[in-house]
Amino acid sequence: MKVFATIYKEFLLLIRDPGGMALIFIMPLALVIVMALVQDAPFRDYQELRLEVLFIDHDKDSLSAKVMTAFKASPNVNIVLKSDTIEAKRLVQAGKFKAAIVLPQNASADLRRKTRQLISNVFANFGLPAETDSAELPVIDIKIFFDPAIKSNYKQTLSGAVEKIAANVQTEWVLDELQQQLSEGRSETPEKITFDVSKIMRVNQRFASENRYQGLMLNSVQHNVPAWTMFAMFFILYPLAGNFIKEREEGSMLRLRLISGSQWPVITGKFSFYFLICLVQFLLMIAVGIYVMPWLGLTKLVLGSNPLGILVTACSVAMAATGYGVLIGVYFRTPQQALSFGSVSVVILSAIGGVWVPVYVMPEVLQQVSRFSPMSWGLESFNDLFLRQASISAILPNVLRLVGFALVALGTSVVIHKSRTVV
Amino acid sequence: MSTCAVRLNQLSKQYPHSVKRAVADVSFEIEEGAVFGLLGPNGAGKSTTVMMLCGLMRPDSGSISVFGLDMPENGVDVRKRVGVAPQEIALFPMLTAYENLFYFGRMYGMGSSDINSQIKRYLSEFGLNEKKNKIVATFSGGMKRRLNLIAALLHKPKLVILDEPTAGVDVQSRNMILGFLESLTNEGTTIIYSSHILEEAERICSHLAIIDEGKLITTGTRASILADHNDCKNLEQIFLKLTGKNIRD
């Protein structure tokens, strides 16, 4: 009954504090929406890359036609034609375009000559009739000018695409030249075989999870909603620790210290109430992810197929967040100390826990450090559930870490609280 | 024959980084049903003594026994029998008077009907019944002080410790509080009354102790102390005679 009385008392205090209500419910919702919107573009950069690229065609022959065709079929590159290399460089330098591809004059003719020379030399080497050509032919120099501010992954994607197109064209032309030289001198010319190099070998990309959520990737909503939900849940320390210290300063905590057997119910009651608040926050933020995000032009939050796992993870994160809030409230003696330390520590834990940017893009050292952040445990669990369709047993280690963290924080709080009340 | 409610024996306490003891070998006994005035200038050691009595502070040496139970070993049992009205208003300002009292009643382990009957009794007695559903933050200083006292009495304690219970209240409220305390002794409740207002102490205390610089200067019944210092007109003069006229910090 003492615990329920404390829960009810906390409820009354909260509903009479509009500022506290806003801090607990409205600010986190605003935060998750803003962060999902802000980080939508960077997430699309990684996954839905589409570059505006200039193409300066000095060749105007079959090679340039092949390059154009290949890029038109590419989902990642949008080709814009330009005739002047200097103008193209200027536009790229100014950041108007990410890159400019310059196909040199006579590239097709040079490639044809090079392939003919290659096949002729092979034939001659095997004693077959062929016109040998020992001339040192220049390398066909396809230039790509990059915007200095281009991200490394953009650069690699574009270079890879150009190299792939060049390799395919070379392969096709070598085979064409081979057929042509083999047919030379024959009375009957066999029908030319057209090779489609993509039918020889292909890279088949699939997702490891095999279920109806296959293909779902980490995007702004899938990352930001659980990440900032946890951040908001950990920020429960602000009202919780503030409430603890306020009660100490106002004197009501002194009266409770004077009542025997009230220490444990007071802490448990506060813990239980704010634990429930954390769960309400979680439900609201998830609802925003599902119903509000699509309305803002973002993707809808997909929860996966393990609602029990989500509930277990949400409860364990709520426990860890509330336990941490209780510890801060009990340990520090002034609101300034508690709220300054609490806020900064939550920001640090969230940064190393992968809330701001996913852990996999962090330096190796930080990735190691992130293992010690409860927010990393929670986020990993949510990613496992939402994206990898993990089972309860798969998320159990992280859940146990969160619960352990909560119990240690709560236990320490009780020890400190009791140590300040002698009897 | 009266029994001993509180016994302090050679009680001492020294704070860390302090050169002298806040309480030095203080010993006295309080009879059950007495109103015991604990008097002394600022920094005399009254609050430290009270805190040790409540179990909020552990003495360095000496012993405390309340209703025959040694502290701090039996602190939990002792506190069930003790009600404390601290000098500060120990209430939740954003709860109503009723909500405050009901919550503290619950924390004392009382049942709903018991709490409600106690709340009804005391709110009427202290003239707060009409304000029971008002937020405490809107109360005047006197109303808060009365409510603070009620919160200490809810669980029907046998020993009530009052630290400046009339600080900052008007004459009417003070008269109401003192009148109530006088009636409380008729029910057999023991009261420890710590105050600077010697006129009040002279009015309601049956026994007195004056401490200064941590040491017990005198103790006894009010009548015996007044008789021992018959050159003084009242308790205030005796107090000044025993503790001096120097300003204390």
Side-chain angles (χ1 to χ4, degrees):
Chain A
M1 289 308 281
K2 290 181 181 180
V3 173
F4 287 119
T6 304
I7 292 173
Y8 182 62
K9 184 262 291 181
E10 294 295 336
F11 169 74
L12 291 174
L13 291 175
L14 182 66
I15 60 171
R16 287 169 193 166
D17 179 12
M21 292 275 277
L23 188 73
I24 288 174
F25 297 116
I26 300 182
M27 295 289 281
L29 294 182
L31 183 69
V32 77
I33 290 170
V34 169
M35 293 310 294
L37 284 169
V38 166
Q39 291 204 356
D40 188 45
F43 267 95
R44 284 180 194 275
D45 278 354
Y46 293 125
Q47 290 148 13
E48 298 165 31
L49 182 67
R50 185 155 180 88
L51 295 174
E52 291 271 299
V53 173
L54 294 174
F55 185 56
I56 300 94
D57 182 12
H58 294 309
D59 179 47
K60 299 191 192 323
D61 198 344
S62 41
L63 178 58
S64 65
K66 287 264 183 193
V67 171
M68 287 286 287
T69 307
F71 273 130
K72 276 179 184 167
S74 166
N76 299 116
V77 178
N78 185 31
I79 287 290
V80 177
L81 287 171
K82 279 276 171 197
S83 55
D84 183 7
T85 307
I86 294 169
E87 169 68 2
K89 278 180 75 175
R90 193 188 62 74
L91 289 170
V92 172
Q93 175 72 26
K96 307 280 184 196
F97 291 86
K98 294 293 177 195
I101 302 167
V102 183
L103 204 57
Q105 209 170 9
N106 301 322
S108 297
D110 289 347
L111 183 59
R112 264 186 226 109
R113 196 175 164 197
K114 277 177 93 73
T115 52
R116 187 171 301 126
Q117 186 189 48
L118 175 70
I119 298 300
S120 297
N121 290 344
V122 171
F123 271 41
N125 203 28
F126 282 89
L128 295 168
E131 288 178 19
T132 55
D133 180 359
S134 58
E136 187 75 25
L137 298 174
V139 175
I140 302 159
D141 191 24
I142 301 173
K143 285 192 172 69
I144 309 176
F145 297 106
F146 286 105
D147 175 4
I150 195 169
K151 288 180 183 171
S152 171
N153 59 329
Y154 283 17
K155 196 176 166 190
Q156 284 168 10
T157 303
L158 188 63
S159 301
V162 172
E163 281 168 13
K164 186 183 170 192
I165 292 165
N168 285 349
V169 170
Q170 284 177 68
T171 308
E172 282 177 27
W173 285 19
V174 164
L175 292 168
D176 285 351
E177 185 59 34
L178 182 65
Q179 287 186 77
Q180 193 177 327
Q181 289 199 26
L182 283 170
S183 63
E184 277 174 10
R186 286 175 177 247
S187 54
E188 286 182 17
T189 306
E191 194 179 334
K192 188 180 169 187
I193 298 169
T194 306
F195 290 92
D196 182 352
V197 290
S198 67
K199 287 182 180 168
I200 297 171
M201 190 188 289
R202 70 175 174 185
V203 178
N204 194 350
Q205 296 185 19
R206 292 282 176 88
F207 290 97
S209 53
E210 291 187 357
N211 51 46
R212 67 195 171 98
Y213 299 101
Q214 191 186 53
L216 178 66
M217 287 183 70
L218 191 66
N219 56 40
S220 179
V221 170
Q222 291 297 134
H223 170 74
N224 281 301
V225 173
W228 292 101
T229 299
M230 280 196 311
F231 182 81
M233 287 162 86
F234 268 82
F235 240 90
I236 201 76
L237 77 84
Y238 211 88
L240 174 51
N243 172 296
F244 248 106
I245 293 166
K246 194 173 158 193
E247 289 184 1
R248 262 204 314 261
E249 289 186 334
E250 284 169 356
S252 46
M253 189 62 83
L254 173 64
R255 186 179 298 287
L256 292 171
R257 286 170 66 193
L258 290 164
I259 300 173
S260 61
S262 68
Q263 309 308 305
W264 183 246
V266 165
I267 288 188
T268 311
K270 279 184 189 292
F271 178 87
S272 304
F273 176 73
Y274 283 97
F275 169 81
L276 292 173
I277 291 290
C278 279
L279 288 185
V280 173
Q281 280 183 319
F282 178 79
L283 290 175
L284 284 174
M285 307 270 267
I286 293 297
V288 163
I290 293 171
Y291 300 109
V292 180
M293 294 300 182
W295 185 66
L296 295 169
L298 300 170
T299 54
K300 178 183 174 182
L301 179 70
V302 177
L303 297 179
S305 55
N306 190 348
L308 181 63
I310 294 169
L311 180 68
V312 168
T313 304
C315 287
S316 56
V317 171
M319 280 181 74
T322 314
Y324 187 58
V326 170
L327 178 61
I328 295 290
V330 168
Y331 181 74
F332 288 100
R333 292 179 188 271
T334 69
Q336 289 81 6
Q337 287 174 349
L339 302 182
S340 304
F341 178 87
S343 313
V344 173
S345 66
V346 168
V347 170
I348 291 171
L349 286 175
S350 69
I352 62 170
V355 167
W356 298 76
V357 291
V359 171
Y360 65 82
V361 301
M362 291 181 189
E364 181 61 28
V365 177
L366 273 184
Q367 289 190 27
Q368 297 298 323
V369 174
S370 80
R371 291 180 184 177
F372 299 100
S373 168
M375 283 194 228
S376 162
W377 307 330
L379 196 53
E380 209 172 290
S381 249
F382 282 126
N383 282 341
D384 284 346
L385 292 163
F386 292 174
L387 302 172
R388 301 184 186 107
Q389 317 308 316
S391 62
I392 293 276
S393 59
I395 59 164
L396 199 59
N398 279 325
V399 166
L400 290 177
R401 283 187 194 109
L402 285 162
V403 173
F405 177 86
L407 293 177
V408 168
L410 204 57
T412 311
S413 306
V414 172
V415 170
I416 294 170
H417 194 61
K418 285 190 88 170
S419 74
R420 290 175 185 171
T421 308
V422 175
V423 180
Chain B
M1 187 180 130
S2 60
T3 55
C4 182
V6 176
R7 177 178 290 123
L8 269 62
N9 186 29
Q10 296 292 301
L11 200 65
S12 291
K13 178 74 187 178
Q14 185 165 359
Y15 290 106
H17 314 298
S18 175
V19 290
K20 60 178 185 176
R21 289 184 291 177
V23 174
D25 303 320
V26 169
S27 301
F28 57 76
E29 288 184 3
I30 302 172
E31 286 175 16
E32 217 169 311
V35 182
F36 188 87
L38 187 60
L39 311 176
N42 289 338
K46 301 190 298 291
S47 295
T48 305
T49 306
V50 167
M51 281 167 81
M52 288 189 283
L53 253 172
C54 300
L56 290 176
M57 194 177 281
R58 200 180 289 273
D60 294 337
S61 60
S63 63
I64 304 168
S65 159
V66 181
F67 299 116
L69 299 167
D70 289 336
M71 292 278 278
E73 295 83 0
N74 299 296
V76 172
D77 288 333
V78 167
R79 280 203 228 169
K80 287 177 185 167
R81 295 166 168 83
V82 177
V84 183
Q87 188 174 352
E88 56 261 55
I89 303 296
L91 300 165
F92 297 100
M94 291 311 292
L95 295 185
T96 65
Y98 176 81
E99 287 163 351
N100 262 288
L101 296 176
F102 195 89
Y103 176 63
F104 289 123
R106 272 278 186 253
M107 299 313 282
Y108 281 121
M110 297 164 71
S112 298
S113 59
D114 199 13
I115 298 172
N116 282 324
S117 71
Q118 285 289 89
I119 290 175
K120 193 176 174 186
R121 173 193 165 188
Y122 285 123
L123 286 180
S124 302
E125 207 144 352
F126 283 94
L128 291 170
N129 210 19
E130 286 178 12
K131 305 283 185 185
K132 76 174 197 179
N133 293 319
K134 299 281 181 197
I135 299 287
V136 169
T138 64
F139 280 20
S140 67
M143 288 158 72
K144 285 179 188 168
R145 187 62 65 188
R146 281 178 271 158
L147 196 62
N148 199 39
L149 181 55
I150 296 172
L153 302 169
L154 271 180
H155 61 302
K156 303 169 196 164
K158 289 173 71 184
L159 171 67
V160 178
I161 301 173
L162 308 171
D163 195 1
E164 303 285 355
T166 58
V169 303
D170 59 19
V171 176
Q172 285 79 7
S173 286
R174 178 180 296 145
N175 191 53
M176 176 182 274
I177 290 170
L178 296 178
F180 173 79
L181 294 178
E182 283 168 334
S183 71
L184 201 60
T185 54
N186 296 333
E187 296 174 17
T189 307
T190 309
I191 298 171
I192 297 178
Y193 183 87
S194 172
S195 178
H196 286 104
I197 306 169
L198 301 174
E199 190 188 328
E200 284 179 13
E202 197 169 348
R203 172 179 159 183
I204 68 160
C205 294
S206 58
H207 295 72
L208 296 166
I210 297 174
I211 58 175
D212 191 20
E213 295 184 335
K215 292 175 188 150
L216 184 68
I217 306 292
T218 187
T219 187
T221 63
R222 180 185 58 193
S224 68
I225 288 174
L226 288 169
D228 287 348
H229 302 275
N230 54 13
D231 53 327
C232 300
K233 280 192 237 171
N234 52 33
L235 188 58
E236 187 172 323
Q237 284 192 1
I238 297 171
F239 186 86
L240 287 171
K241 180 184 164 188
L242 294 174
T243 61
K245 292 184 180 178
N246 292 338
I247 299 293
R248 309 301 173 86
D249 294 325

